Amino acid sequence: MSEPNERRLLTPEEYEQAQVSPEFVELKKRFRAFAFPMTVAFLSWYLLFVLLSTYAHEFMSTKVFGNINVGLIFGLLQFVSTFVITHLYVAHANKKTDPIAEEMRDRLEQHEYAGRRADGTPDDGAGAARV
């Protein structure tokens, strides 16, 4: 049995430095630029489906072909839209956020955030003591 790799645990200060880093700020910006609009779009689409099902019964029961009606098609499109959004998110993450997250993880594992101030400059220890 091999011995586990010796790894130094990250300090809270290292996590704080990573959190205020320009890379993390950009990562949050890119994630939110996708997540918030997509969430609003999906919830609006779902609310439309619920409202039409509740208040537009005649429209939703309109036969399209055979026993298939508009309500059934809209209901199935809810599943389709979920899969489409998932696919779009994976593509967005692979292209826009994962490279930044991987770089930050590598920097954290190398302890590159240790001994830095909030602005990212090296902390030489000459600053005011923390209370």
Side-chain angles (χ1 to χ4, degrees):
M1 187 160 125
S2 63
E3 292 185 32
N5 292 339
E6 291 292 323
R7 288 190 348 179
R8 183 171 71 87
L9 295 177
L10 296 168
T11 65
E13 290 78 17
E14 287 176 291
Y15 282 113
E16 289 173 359
Q17 295 308 315
Q19 187 176 3
V20 297
S21 71
E23 297 91 355
F24 190 71
V25 171
E26 181 65 22
L27 182 66
K28 289 189 306 185
K29 178 182 159 195
R30 290 182 184 193
F31 173 77
R32 289 175 179 164
F34 179 87
F36 290 153
M38 198 58 68
T39 300
V40 169
F42 181 77
L43 290 176
S44 299
W45 161 239
Y46 178 73
L47 182 62
L48 174 68
F49 173 68
V50 170
L51 291 174
L52 287 174
S53 297
T54 303
Y55 297 108
H57 190 280
E58 292 296 321
F59 171 70
M60 294 296 270
S61 61
T62 302
K63 300 261 184 195
V64 176
F65 55 90
N67 287 330
I68 308 297
N69 61 25
V70 172
L72 182 60
I73 292 172
F74 275 27
L76 292 173
L77 286 174
Q78 291 290 316
F79 290 102
V80 172
S81 65
T82 300
F83 290 116
V84 168
I85 289 170
T86 301
H87 173 73
L88 292 172
Y89 175 73
V90 168
H92 171 79
N94 286 339
K95 184 177 181 182
K96 303 277 185 170
T97 59
D98 285 353
I100 296 172
E102 289 172 10
E103 177 188 336
M104 288 194 68
R105 184 184 60 239
D106 291 343
R107 290 182 66 194
L108 277 166
E109 288 173 353
Q110 297 300 320
H111 301 282
E112 290 183 22
Y113 291 104
R116 297 203 174 265
R117 293 190 184 109
D119 63 2
T121 59
D123 185 4
D124 58 8
R130 205 180 238 182
V131 179

